[in-house]
Amino acid sequence: MQTNEAEAPHLKRALKLWHLIVYGIVIIQPTAPMGIYGVVNNVARGHVVSTILIAMVAMLFTAVSYGRMARIYPSAGSAYTYVGREINPIAGYVVGWSMLMDYLLNPIICAIWCSAAARNVLPSIPYVAWAVAFVILFMLLNLRGVQASGRVNAILALVMSLVVVVFLAYAIRYLALVARPVGGQWLTPFYDPSTFSPSLLFRGTSIAVLTYIGFDGISTMSEEVENPRRNIMLATVFTCLIIGILSAVEVYVAQLAWPYRGPFPEALVDTAYVHVARRIGGTLLFQLLNATLLIANMGSGVAAQFGAARLLYGMGRGNALPQRFFGALSPKTAIPRNNVLVVSAITLVGVFLLTYERGAELLNFGAFIAFMAVNAAALLHYRFRSREKVFLPLGIPLAGLLVSAFIWLNLAHSAQILGFIWILLGLAIYWLRRGTRSGAAEPSFDEQVP
């Protein structure tokens, strides 16, 4: 008996625009700028609000390009697919390899931040012990297949939102009764002529973009949303806008409460925001925010480590890496155990070789490779190949490409050098495997994991 195609199982298009926006906020997290606050404050000499807003402009243009490309490839939802098909397979590979660097760096910076936050509670335990403990925790949870559900993530995002509201209430009270800014002091978080430097502002912006990382995950919901051609792009843009405004408010009140008089000391920089919370609301608010961000970063670290292992599995299954090792699943748990162990080893080494700042800059190096490439792909498709009429088919992706390139160029030179070394390594692996597999298919990336 043949099954009617119309009756075959399929994903139900039940998600509305607001569902996608909430999903995007859950991915990015309402507390997104708090982890990088101290680093950006030190780099940009206090102009954190301006860096957040400039980064938002770049992300809005790029969000439109992601949304438009999701129309063409509604089920793929990946930058390297867009770039590989619209520009060149090797360009797609470079984007995919850059994304792999991001996947590997994410658990590293999560472990670094968690270790610093844990020391705020128990400073007698050294950083080394906390770092090793968190890396092992991430590994064990992933080996056991413990993954947070969408409902758990939504509840966590709600809790974080409530904590942000509590923080802002304390901040308003502190500003009104204690700090009492007057006149031009209200504008110094945006522009302080005594500390302003354009080059440092844009270098800070290149780090502040980490606030928005993850917005492209909305495109993976294309098959489950009503009117995806319209709603994917709108949700991506609105998510960036909402996160940008909320983040700007969060760092604005923090800068008013703790005006820039010099960089945060090394012992405080990674968790500077929770120390601002201590000034605003005392020990109670300090511990509340520290615990909230610690739990959030632990969840992000576990998910990021599994995401890296999953991408390595996809690369192994697609023959971009040795299939026997990277494309293998544990027969008992159906988990890519080899990849979890590899990523854990890399994370363990990374927490001792990198600082949070350097890790964030390297992560954004890879992210901006993808952003620039997606904008270029959208420009080529809608300006030269597609007959579909869209608003500013040249202007929007070109603006996104140029702004992204400008911010990317303002990354620290050390991050750029390390990033280029990573790309050269990826290309060497690509050509080496191509040369040793006569007649085999081209290596490819495949995100679809059973």
Side-chain angles (χ1 to χ4, degrees), residues 97 155 157 176 214 217 256 286 411 417 437:
W97 186 255
I155 292 173
L256 287 176
F286 170 81
L411 283 165
I417 292 171
R437 290 178 297 109

Side-chain angles (χ1 to χ4, degrees), residues 266-312:
E266 185 176 351
L268 303 183
V269 63
D270 288 346
T271 58
Y273 204 94
V274 296
H275 292 284
V276 175
R278 186 198 295 274
R279 172 178 288 189
I280 288 173
T283 303
L284 176 62
L285 187 60
F286 170 81
Q287 296 292 359
L288 175 64
L289 193 61
N290 193 77
T292 302
L293 294 177
L294 177 57
I295 293 171
N297 276 274
M298 285 175 59
S300 295
V302 173
Q305 192 178 79
F306 182 75
R310 176 180 172 136
L311 183 57
L312 285 172

Side-chain angles (χ1 to χ4, degrees), residues 58-304:
M59 291 302 95
L60 287 174
F61 287 125
T62 302
V64 173
S65 292
Y66 265 93
R68 288 178 175 175
M69 295 308 294
R71 295 180 180 181
I72 309 164
Y73 307 106
S75 61
S78 60
Y80 52 80
T81 299
Y82 305 155
V83 176
R85 296 189 183 181
E86 289 293 336
I87 299 178
N88 182 274
I90 296 179
Y93 178 90
V94 169
V95 169
W97 186 255
S98 300
M99 290 175 65
L100 174 62
M101 181 173 70
D102 288 2
Y103 275 82
L104 294 174
L105 286 167
N106 216 334
I108 293 174
I109 64 174
C110 286
I112 291 172
W113 202 97
C114 287
S115 302
R119 290 205 69 199
N120 288 335
V121 181
L122 295 173
S124 59
I125 299 179
Y127 171 84
V128 172
W130 282 120
V132 172
F134 280 114
V135 173
I136 292 175
L137 176 64
F138 295 170
M139 179 185 69
L140 292 178
L141 289 175
N142 276 312
L143 288 176
R144 290 178 60 88
V146 179
Q147 293 296 313
S149 67
R151 179 172 296 181
V152 171
N153 288 331
I155 292 173
L156 182 58
L158 177 61
V159 171
M160 285 189 285
S161 299
L162 293 175
V163 172
V164 169
V165 171
V166 171
F167 172 85
L168 292 176
Y170 271 98
I172 292 171
R173 178 178 177 273
Y174 179 85
L175 294 177
L177 301 180
V178 181
R180 296 181 179 181
V182 295
Q185 291 177 339
W186 291 99
L187 298 178
T188 52
F190 296 96
Y191 173 70
D192 185 347
S194 64
T195 61
F196 181 77
S197 165
S199 61
L200 294 179
L201 175 70
F202 287 109
R203 187 187 163 195
T205 300
S206 69
I207 303 172
V209 172
L210 191 62
T211 301
Y212 303 90
I213 296 299
F215 74 91
D216 53 311
I218 293 173
S219 65
T220 63
M221 309 297 289
S222 296
E223 295 181 80
E224 299 171 75
V225 62
E226 295 179 356
N227 193 4
R229 293 176 62 81
R230 169 184 175 271
N231 287 341
I232 290 293
M233 185 176 71
L234 289 178
T236 308
V237 171
F238 284 141
T239 297
C240 288
L241 189 62
I242 292 169
I243 288 293
I245 294 173
L246 178 61
S247 298
V249 171
E250 291 172 17
V251 299
Y252 176 70
V253 297
Q255 286 190 264
L256 287 176
W258 193 313
Y260 183 81
R261 299 288 182 268
F264 285 106
E266 185 176 351
L268 303 183
V269 63
D270 288 346
T271 58
Y273 204 94
V274 296
H275 292 284
V276 175
R278 186 198 295 274
R279 172 178 288 189
I280 288 173
T283 303
L284 176 62
L285 187 60
F286 170 81
Q287 296 292 359
L288 175 64
L289 193 61
N290 193 77
T292 302
L293 294 177
L294 177 57
I295 293 171
N297 276 274
M298 285 175 59
S300 295
V302 173

